[in-house]
């Protein structure tokens, strides 16, 4: 049997999380996972306006320790962080990374410049989608250039909220020219690409990014893929992992990776 782990989850210590760490760990064990990363949000803005993470810094660290004590041998628990557009405030990013240690660091783009939140933009036409993706991939390249990370999260993130408007396949072939340089960048820097399964509960009904993206990443020399449910509730832990594994195998990978103390460890997937 293949042993899996969920490297992208959020508890109530994230501003949009709806689950206590204990319930999430129980769900992970119920799914037979061997490991779980709590990767709470820290979003960066030029004006330093994000305060949620710091409000619960001590409590969050204590909760991770407590869960490790409770679940001990049956579930490995990793302390992660999901950095949202850290390149918007490099001073703050350096501060966060210097003061705290993590098992894994995830990089994401949730907001375009000027605090344009990708979830809240009104998408009325394909042109709106194209504009957002263009800016999104541009920011992603800059983030990878400027900031260190272990994992690049949800490459296809904006497509989640474009249902009914987005024309063509959700596997983003449309933006192949913008995606390929990002894959090459990640492969060269040794950054893992995440297969994010949140799309199972969105209009596209499948994990992302698409198989062709994973394949292209492998061809550029990328050897690290992670599995992340992006769960904000216990019921979403490990969602769609079977489907994601099939996609990963289809793309020619025979292993996935997890991080402990920011060191990659490979897990064969047969
Ligand atoms: Zn995210
Ligand atoms: Zn997330």
């Amino acid at each position: 049997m293949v042993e899996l782990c969920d490297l992208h989850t959020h508890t109530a210590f994230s501003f949009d999380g709806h689950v206590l760490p204990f319930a999430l760990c129980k769900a992970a064990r119920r799914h037979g996972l061997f490991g779980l990363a709590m990767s709470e949000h820290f979003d960066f803005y030029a004006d330093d306006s994000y305060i949620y993470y710091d409000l619960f810094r001590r409590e969050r660290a204590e909760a991770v320790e407590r869960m490790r004590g409770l679940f001990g041998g049956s579930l490995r628990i990793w302390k992660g962080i999901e950095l949202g557009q850290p390149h918007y405030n490099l001073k703050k990013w350096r501060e966060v990374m210097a003061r705290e240690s993590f098992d894994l660091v995830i990089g994401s783009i949730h907001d375009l410049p000027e605090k344009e939140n990708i979830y809240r933009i009104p998408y009325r036409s394909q042109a709106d989608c194209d504009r957002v993706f263009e800016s999104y991939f541009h920011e992603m390249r800059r983030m990878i250039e400027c900031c260190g990370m272990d994992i690049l999260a949800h490459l296809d993130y904006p497509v989640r909220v474009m249902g009914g408007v987005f024309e063509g396949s959700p596997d983003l072939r449309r933006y192949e020219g913008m995606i390929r340089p990002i894959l090459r960048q990640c492969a060269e820097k040794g950054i893992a690409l995440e297969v994010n399964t949140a799309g199972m509960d969105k209009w596209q009904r499948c994990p992302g990014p698409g198989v062709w993206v994973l394949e292209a990443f492998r061809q550029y020399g990328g050897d690290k893929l992670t599995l992340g449910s992006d769960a904000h509730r216990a019921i979403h832990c490990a969602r769609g992992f079977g489907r994601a594994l099939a996609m990963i195998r289809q793309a020619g990978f025979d292993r996935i990776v997890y991080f402990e103390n920011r060191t990659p460890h490979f897990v064969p997937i047969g």
Side-chain angles (χ1 to χ4, degrees):
M1 206 183 84
V2 180
E3 296 234 296
L4 299 176
C5 47
D6 193 338
L7 295 197
H8 187 157
T9 69
H10 300 274
T11 73
F13 290 116
S14 284
F15 73 97
D16 57 354
H18 298 274
V19 56
L20 288 171
F22 181 66
L24 188 65
C25 291
K26 273 207 314 193
R29 209 169 51 179
R30 211 169 40 242
H31 283 286
L33 302 185
F34 76 89
L36 174 83
M38 291 182 224
S39 52
E40 313 295 356
H41 284 296
F42 196 123
D43 283 284
F44 292 77
Y45 306 105
D47 61 3
D48 240 353
S49 60
Y50 190 81
I51 57 160
Y52 196 90
Y53 189 93
D54 282 337
L55 286 178
F56 302 104
R57 216 167 99 198
R58 191 169 49 85
E59 289 85 347
R60 198 184 45 256
E62 281 170 9
V64 170
E65 284 310 316
R66 217 171 305 143
M67 293 309 112
R68 282 176 178 158
L70 273 174
F71 288 85
S74 64
L75 183 71
R76 289 194 220 181
I77 296 163
W78 300 302
K79 186 182 171 204
I81 187 167
E82 182 179 9
L83 308 174
Q85 55 285 333
H87 61 297
Y88 290 2
N89 193 331
L90 287 171
K91 185 170 163 275
K92 187 77 187 172
W93 167 68
R94 283 192 198 99
E95 198 184 299
V96 172
M97 299 313 292
R99 75 184 184 194
E100 218 175 323
S101 58
F102 300 96
D103 287 302
L104 56 99
V105 175
I106 300 177
S108 297
I109 302 290
H110 298 130
D111 284 65
L112 302 181
E114 310 303 330
K115 288 194 169 178
E116 217 186 341
N117 185 288
I118 289 170
Y119 259 48
R120 286 188 224 118
I121 292 170
Y123 299 97
R124 298 191 187 89
S125 66
Q126 183 60 42
D128 290 339
C129 302
D130 289 344
R131 179 191 71 84
V132 165
F133 266 113
E134 209 163 299
S135 172
Y136 173 76
F137 288 132
H138 174 78
E139 294 307 327
M140 192 168 263
R141 278 201 309 277
R142 286 196 46 226
M143 171 178 74
I144 299 166
E145 257 163 45
C146 301
C147 305
M149 65 188 72
D150 303 309
I151 303 165
L152 178 68
H154 47 54
L155 183 86
D156 59 350
Y157 176 73
V159 88
R160 291 182 191 174
V161 285
M162 293 174 172
V165 179
F166 194 79
E167 293 163 15
S169 166
D171 75 357
L172 304 187
R173 270 280 186 197
R174 186 182 181 91
Y175 307 117
E176 185 171 349
M178 288 184 256
I179 289 172
R180 282 188 174 272
I182 294 170
L183 300 176
R184 189 195 293 258
Q185 227 181 346
C186 287
E188 283 171 3
K189 286 181 180 277
I191 297 171
L193 187 65
E194 176 188 81
V195 179
N196 187 296
T197 58
M200 294 295 289
D201 293 307
K202 310 288 181 195
W203 69 277
Q204 66 267 38
R205 299 271 168 229
C206 70
V211 173
W212 77 265
V213 178
L214 307 181
E215 231 165 3
F217 178 58
R218 188 172 56 78
Q219 283 157 5
Y220 286 125
D223 63 344
K224 299 184 197 75
L225 292 183
T226 63
L227 275 177
S229 67
D230 217 343
H232 289 67
R233 298 173 189 276
I235 50 160
H236 291 148
C237 181
R239 64 179 143 190
F241 272 17
R243 180 82 181 275
L245 265 190
M247 289 168 64
I248 290 169
R249 289 188 183 117
Q250 202 186 329
F253 288 86
D254 58 5
R255 57 188 192 171
I256 54 171
V257 75
Y258 68 91
F259 290 85
E260 214 158 59
N261 201 13
R262 305 206 60 188
T263 304
H265 298 271
F266 288 95
V267 184
I269 55 169

